[in-house]
Structures are given as C-alpha cells and as structure tokens.
Amino acid sequence: MNTYIDKLTNLLLEKNDMISYLQARTWVELLWGDFEATYAKAGRPYQGEQMTERVVKEWIESYGSKLHMFQSMREDVSHYLDQSRGLLH
C-alpha cells in the first residue's frame, strides 16, 4: 500500500504547489481511508488497492489543486494540514 500512497502523494504535489509533502501525504491517507471506510459501510465487497488507488487518483485529478483551501474537521490530523506550519516542498 505504501507504494500507492507514495505515488498518489507525488501526484498531489504536482497538482498543488501550496502544500508541503507532509500535508499531501496526510490528504492522500485521509482520502484513501475515507474511501475504503465508506465503501465498507455501504456493504460492498472489498475490490482491492487498485480500485482505491484509481478513485483517489480521480479525486486528486479533479480537486487536488484546491485541497489547500479545505480544512479538516478531524482533530487528530488537523495540525498536519495547517498551512502556517512547515516548509513547502
């Protein structure tokens, strides 16, 4: 799975130069986990990492350039997405 996460993180960094590597990776991990959780809650059978990668890649292609404008409500990761922290890549 780390290979998928690394690949998607780099894609997001290509799409959005307003976020750091850590922020991009956090977004990718959030999108990945949210997709898998939503899919499971819907009672659908697991389709594998390739499907999750495809969906997250589509989201990055569509919304990646704007992700820095969103703020996560999840307290456990919100500090990673804070734009005032860290250097950009």
Side-chain angles (χ1 to χ4, degrees):
M1 181 171 97
N2 280 334
T3 302
Y4 295 115
I5 299 294
D6 291 339
K7 189 169 134 181
L8 292 168
T9 299
N10 289 327
L11 175 63
L12 180 52
L13 288 171
E14 289 174 19
K15 296 288 180 186
N16 191 325
D17 62 358
M18 299 294 292
I19 58 177
S20 68
Y21 177 85
L22 180 59
Q23 291 165 328
R25 185 164 181 105
T26 300
W27 272 114
V28 168
E29 290 173 355
L30 286 172
L31 293 170
W32 186 283
D34 286 349
F35 174 76
E36 286 191 337
T38 302
Y39 208 75
K41 285 179 186 175
R44 306 242 171 124
Y46 182 64
Q47 298 291 317
E49 293 177 333
Q50 293 84 9
M51 180 180 178
T52 304
E53 178 194 26
R54 183 177 55 81
V55 171
V56 173
K57 183 177 180 180
E58 288 176 16
W59 290 343
I60 290 171
E61 294 287 347
S62 296
Y63 309 110
S65 64
K66 298 172 183 75
L67 277 180
H68 66 281
M69 298 184 328
F70 293 94
Q71 186 174 21
S72 176
M73 299 305 287
R74 288 183 48 180
E75 292 181 21
D76 58 331
V77 295
S78 62
H79 62 282
Y80 291 116
L81 300 174
D82 182 2
Q83 288 296 319
S84 65
R85 294 175 43 100
L87 300 173
L88 298 180
H89 61 96

